[in-house]
Amino acid sequence: MARGDAEFVEFVHAASGRLAHAAYLMTGDHHQAEDATQTALVRTYASWSRVRRDDPYAYTRRVLVNHIVDNWRRPIREYPTDELPQQRRGDVADEVTARRWLQAALGTLTARERAIVVLRYLFDLPEAQVARELDVSLGTVKSTSSRALEKLRQALGEQPRPPGGRVASTPGGR
Amino acid sequence: MNDTDRLRAALRASEPEGRGRFDVDTIMREGRRRRHRRRAVRGAVVVLSVAVVAAGVLAVLRRPVSIDPAAVPAPQVTVTVGTPTAGPPASAEPTATEPPGKPPIGEVVATGLRYGADEMVFYFVPVSVPGAPEVTIGLVAGRRTPDGELVAEYLANDVEGSDRRPGFHQIGYEPSTEPLPADPVPTFGYFVGPAVRIVGRVGKVSVPAKLARWSEDPDVVIFWFPPQSLSPGQRLDGILAWDAQDRRL
């Protein structure tokens, strides 16, 4: 196997888990998420000789997010009570409740709002980088992020048990 | 823990542990197909791009300029790179080989554009196009690695007529339908004639190109638009060339 291919295999093993999770948060559907992640990885490999020297993770993330936003279909709200986490963290019932809450809350957002929430709060990207990756203005990121958080706050208000069993009182800022 | 911290925690709480569950072999196989398809399509895209550029120039100036629309070939492409024998008949479904691994013809043109340790370069390679015996060269946009290796990224070549026909030839663009990579190929092409200045136009904005003469034929002028002045993938509405006496060619 060529060195570049070996690097790509390593990259897929290291990065695909979080990318697929991000895709799931953005689509709310496991199958769509896997399809989108695989598409992004295929595109990355097609350009591997060019992107491997820079930041392949950022490239794949950008392809993934834009692919999902561009191909947005309102997701089926999925409450995966039959799919328990692979590694048990705390009480399973709480975990399932948390996942239900999260998907219900994210389901109130538009594709772009979801993408911005995921890029900001899953990947911890600064707003300026989110703007670059989505090819929108910084102002759009700020306003969309604020709107998304407000929606999440409202969704949170309708849910008695957010993760951790506590109800957040405000959407918070950054 | 504030609200955004809780949101972060919630987003991560359901993240699966362990490695991804993707079939890397399938991904790589599809990626190779996509790469080959993209290179083939790029050949077709540049043909169509010249038609668009020609139409744009004609619409603005209302008279023929350096691009002869009659010479714009039909978008039926079969490109066989570096193969001296005739390939399969031309078809609407383009095919192409891997990017040229053949040695360049003439000198490699350095651009000064750097992508990490690599430098963007242009060079001609031999091509063979079925049904177009006068097309023998194609222009490659590629990279030169620090150890001197040339890595082809993009090949633009004529698919009809003669590769030395006076005027503009195929223009290479980054596909506009895909996210740009971190090291996008600048828009590039070549002109046959005594051009000393080439200017592209996007809307009302004029963008000067960088020029370099080909070592093997001084009538062949390689040009490219630095990414700082023309975003790669941005389609030109027109392109013009002038000679040393400032006459439009």
Side-chain angles (χ1 to χ4, degrees):
Chain A
M1 181 179 283
R3 189 177 63 180
D5 285 353
E7 289 176 359
F8 181 75
V9 171
E10 189 178 335
F11 168 73
V12 171
H13 286 157
S16 59
R18 172 151 286 197
L19 291 169
H21 180 58
Y24 173 65
L25 292 173
M26 284 187 282
T27 62
D29 181 272
H30 283 297
H31 298 298
Q32 285 183 24
E34 290 196 7
D35 285 349
T37 307
Q38 175 141 338
T39 297
L41 291 169
V42 165
R43 291 185 182 182
T44 299
Y45 183 69
S47 300
W48 186 245
S49 66
R50 301 168 65 180
V51 303
R52 60 190 273 249
R53 294 169 188 273
D54 296 307
D55 187 348
Y57 189 64
Y59 178 83
T60 313
R61 183 179 60 217
R62 188 154 50 102
V63 172
L64 174 70
V65 172
N66 284 287
H67 174 75
I68 290 173
V69 172
D70 291 345
N71 294 279
W72 168 253
R73 300 287 183 276
R74 182 158 287 278
I76 301 166
R77 294 201 183 168
E78 188 174 337
Y79 301 109
T81 53
D82 57 339
E83 294 186 30
L84 300 178
Q86 292 177 8
Q87 186 174 9
R88 188 170 166 157
R89 302 185 207 94
D91 184 74
V92 172
D94 280 352
E95 190 101 23
V96 172
T97 302
R99 294 178 73 177
R100 284 184 174 182
W101 166 81
L102 183 63
Q103 278 307 321
L106 290 173
T108 65
L109 306 183
T110 65
R112 181 181 284 179
E113 289 167 350
R114 275 190 178 215
I116 287 176
V117 165
V118 169
L119 290 173
R120 287 281 289 122
Y121 300 109
L122 177 68
F123 290 109
D124 277 334
L125 299 186
E127 288 174 329
Q129 190 171 346
V130 173
R132 282 195 298 275
E133 296 209 359
L134 291 175
D135 196 21
V136 297
S137 69
L138 181 59
T140 298
V141 171
K142 287 177 183 287
S143 60
T144 307
S145 181
S146 172
R147 193 165 54 244
L149 287 172
E150 174 59 24
K151 285 184 181 179
L152 290 175
R153 185 190 66 79
Q154 290 174 2
L156 193 61
E158 296 166 2
Q159 299 290 323
R161 293 194 64 205
R166 298 175 58 189
V167 177
S169 57
T170 65
R174 299 181 49 185
Chain B
M1 181 181 281
N2 63 28
D3 298 321
T4 52
D5 288 338
R6 287 193 195 95
L7 177 57
R8 282 190 179 90
L11 290 173
R12 288 165 187 169
S14 54
E15 184 168 350
E17 295 289 330
R19 292 190 156 191
R21 53 204 172 278
F22 294 92
D23 181 346
V24 186
D25 290 338
T26 300
I27 289 170
M28 292 169 72
R29 189 166 58 248
E30 290 298 314
R32 284 191 199 97
R33 282 186 191 148
R34 182 179 178 83
R35 192 187 301 156
H36 296 173
R37 213 164 41 233
R38 189 174 59 192
R39 283 173 182 142
V41 170
R42 279 172 169 177
V45 165
V46 292
V47 173
L48 296 172
S49 301
V50 170
V52 170
V53 170
V57 171
L58 291 171
V60 172
L61 302 176
R62 297 185 181 182
R63 59 180 173 178
V65 287
S66 40
I67 296 175
D68 177 6
V72 175
Q76 293 186 335
V77 189
T78 299
V79 181
T80 308
V81 178
T83 305
T85 55
S91 70
E93 184 65 30
T95 60
T97 64
E98 278 288 306
K102 298 281 184 183
I105 307 173
E107 292 178 4
V108 176
V109 174
T111 64
L113 299 171
R114 293 208 164 269
Y115 300 117
D118 296 349
E119 181 180 19
M120 172 63 65
V121 295
F122 295 105
Y123 54 93
F124 282 100
V125 294
V127 299
S128 174
V129 181
E134 293 184 68
V135 176
T136 60
I137 58 170
L139 182 59
V140 171
R143 290 181 285 112
R144 181 160 49 197
T145 64
D147 57 6
E149 180 191 2
L150 293 174
V151 180
E153 297 285 1
Y154 195 155
L155 168 66
N157 61 270
D158 290 330
V159 293
E160 275 189 8
S162 167
D163 56 28
R164 305 301 168 89
R165 169 182 51 79
F168 286 98
H169 289 253
Q170 311 298 2
I171 296 176
Y173 291 103
E174 278 284 356
S176 58
T177 55
E178 293 182 16
L180 288 174
D183 53 351
V185 172
T187 299
F188 72 102
Y190 74 93
F191 180 91
V192 176
V196 297
R197 185 164 66 96
I198 288 175
V199 175
R201 184 165 45 222
V202 178
K204 295 181 179 179
V205 178
S206 295
V207 184
K210 300 279 188 185
L211 308 184
R213 292 204 174 274
W214 188 32
S215 62
E216 301 302 293
D217 183 345
D219 279 344
V220 174
V221 180
I222 299 166
F223 64 88
W224 67 94
F225 295 92
Q228 299 86 346
S229 52
L230 179 67
S231 179
Q234 170 75 58
R235 267 39 184 175
L236 292 168
D237 296 320
I239 186 167
L240 294 170
W242 286 265
D243 68 9
Q245 285 73 47
D246 209 28
R247 293 175 301 202
R248 200 168 61 211
L249 298 172

